[in-house]
Every structure is written in structure tokens, then in C-alpha cells.
Amino acid sequence: QDQQEDLGQEVSKKRPREIPNYFVSIPITDDQILDRIEDVQELIFTKEPDLSRALIPVQTMHLTIIVAHLGTEEEVKKAVLALKQSKTKVEAILQGKDLNMTFHGIGQFNNQVIYVKMSEDNQKTLSKIAEAVEECFNEMDLDISGSKDFKPHLTFLKLSKAPRLKRRGFRKICSDLYKEYEDCYFGTEVFSQIDLCAMRKKKQESGYYYCECSIYVGSKGTEESQEQ
């Protein structure tokens, strides 16, 4: 019996993973942050015009919490419910306080993905929030197996977005292209919203992803917190 169960586990591990088509994220809307990212992108573009296809539009800036594969309308509805249910957990973590997300400096993954770093001050709280959302999705038995560990960062350029460049021998993005901004302060976003977004549906007019559902948290719209 045990052996069979082990085999069962083996099989499930090897099953091909469904490609994620949804993600849960925190949108970044602070003008100072977005303007500064555009400045860096412009600088990179002037030095290396070929990279324009690899730039990510600032209208889509977000921190990814989890990615999900939602195969049916039913699963999308469950995911909406999971996100709505996470609101109470998230508010319990925030305890009525604002969570400031400060962005400072530029980092890279394998010189192929370039991103703005988030200061460590509030990363612990943000990780707890990400865990709470993840729990709600797991409780609904949704497929979030494609998710990586939560490391908040704002990607603004990635080579995989422009496969042609790779074929032309573009393998790495040289840090000289953005060194002026490598240790620059980008700005602070007050955490107030979590979205469930579709990767493959038509984007909104604003340029942001198609949203199935959003929850609003923190002091947004409550009189009491303004008085405090």
C-alpha cells in the first residue's frame, strides 16, 4: 500500500504543469516611481535602441504575489472568492496601519531581467500578506504550482520579451546602460490594493492588465484612520 502511494506521488510530481494564465499582484501607481522608471528606460533606450522591445510599459508595473492556472470559469470564480476572503487576513496583518513600500536601486537576474529593488523595511509584512493570499488560494484547491518564492521587485526590462534580440546574439544587458540609477531612490507606494489579473485577456484602456477582481485594504476610504 505504502509503495503504491509513493508511486502515486511520483507520478503527480512528473505531471506536466499547466502554464499559468492568471496572477495576483499589487499594482504600482505612484507617479514618482513610474516617472523615474521611465527615465531609466529612456536612458537605456538612448544608449541601446535595440532594447526598446524588451522594455516593459510602466502602466503595467506591479509586484507579483502568485501565478495561477485557472482552466475554467468555475476556477476563475473560485479565485475571485479566494482573493475576497484574503481581505480579512490581510487587514489583520496591517492592523489599521499604512504599509509603505519604498523602492530604491536597481537589481538584475542573470543580466537578463532588470528590476527596481524594494527596500527591506517592510518586506516581512509584505511576505506575510503574500502568504495569507497563497493560503486562501490553496484552501480553494487552485493550481498555483507555477508560483515562485515571493521576492518583491519591479521588473522594467526583460530579454525574454524580445526573442529576436536573443537570436541576434543579445544575451546580456550590460549594467553600464543604467549605472546612473543603480543606487537611486525611486519613490514610495502606499500599499492599498491587490488584483487578480488575466495574462491573456485584452489589457484595459489604461494599459494595465485585465482585472477579474480587486480588493482594497489599509486606510483607503475609512474616516477613522484619517483622524488617527
Side-chain angles (χ1 to χ4, degrees):
Q1 184 68 45
D2 282 350
Q3 254 181 332
Q4 271 180 322
E5 276 174 17
D6 286 347
L7 281 172
Q9 282 174 332
E10 274 309 308
V11 173
S12 69
K13 270 184 203 155
K14 286 186 177 156
R15 228 189 3 219
R17 260 210 300 237
E18 298 281 7
I19 294 168
N21 55 351
Y22 280 82
F23 61 98
V24 177
S25 63
I26 298 169
I28 301 299
T29 56
D30 179 79
D31 286 336
Q32 183 184 356
I33 298 172
L34 301 183
D35 288 348
R36 192 137 289 175
I37 290 175
E38 278 193 321
D39 292 344
V40 185
Q41 289 181 331
E42 265 169 45
L43 177 73
I44 291 171
F45 175 71
T46 35
K47 292 183 181 180
E48 194 56 86
D50 282 347
L51 283 174
S52 68
R53 284 171 179 273
L55 296 172
I56 291 171
V58 294
Q59 298 87 328
T60 65
M61 285 298 138
H62 63 276
L63 301 173
T64 305
I65 296 179
I66 47 174
V67 296
H69 173 78
L70 307 174
T72 60
E73 264 317 301
E74 206 45 54
E75 286 183 347
V76 174
K77 281 181 188 152
K78 272 186 170 178
V80 167
L81 201 57
L83 183 59
K84 285 182 175 166
Q85 285 176 349
S86 72
K87 184 178 159 99
T88 16
K89 288 187 180 185
V90 173
E91 303 216 300
I93 295 166
L94 291 173
Q95 296 178 336
K97 294 190 193 82
D98 271 344
L99 175 65
N100 293 321
M101 305 181 292
T102 300
F103 293 93
H104 190 152
I106 291 179
Q108 48 79 21
F109 298 130
N110 295 330
N111 291 312
Q112 297 188 354
V113 173
I114 313 296
Y115 60 87
V116 180
K117 295 193 265 197
M118 184 175 140
S119 306
E120 293 197 355
D121 327 339
N122 285 317
Q123 285 206 20
K124 272 204 180 87
T125 312
L126 213 53
S127 294
K128 279 186 193 157
I129 288 167
E131 270 167 40
V133 172
E134 200 171 319
E135 272 168 23
C136 291
F137 272 70
N138 281 328
E139 281 162 16
M140 286 283 184
D141 205 23
L142 293 163
D143 176 9
I144 56 170
S145 56
S147 304
K148 298 184 176 78
D149 285 346
F150 177 63
K151 291 191 180 76
H153 62 280
L154 286 183
T155 302
F156 63 85
L157 191 158
K158 61 175 176 193
L159 277 184
S160 61
K161 214 176 155 281
R164 270 191 212 158
L165 287 177
K166 263 196 163 159
R167 288 202 288 276
R168 285 172 35 204
F170 243 108
R171 299 253 177 268
K172 286 190 155 96
I173 297 161
C174 173
S175 64
D176 287 352
L177 293 175
Y178 52 82
K179 66 171 184 287
E180 291 92 317
Y181 287 94
E182 220 156 9
D183 198 31
C184 151
Y185 169 71
F186 279 76
T188 298
E189 171 97 21
V190 181
F191 168 60
S192 63
Q193 184 178 343
I194 304 179
D195 297 329
L196 171 65
C197 299
M199 293 181 190
R200 299 192 179 80
K201 289 190 179 178
K202 192 174 184 289
K203 288 193 173 77
Q204 301 175 35
E205 270 179 32
S206 64
Y208 190 62
Y209 293 94
Y210 178 90
C211 255
E212 295 287 349
C213 166
S214 298
I215 57 168
Y216 300 96
V217 291
S219 61
K220 237 188 175 181
T222 50
E223 288 297 326
E224 289 160 19
S225 54
Q226 278 161 9
E227 281 164 28
Q228 280 167 18

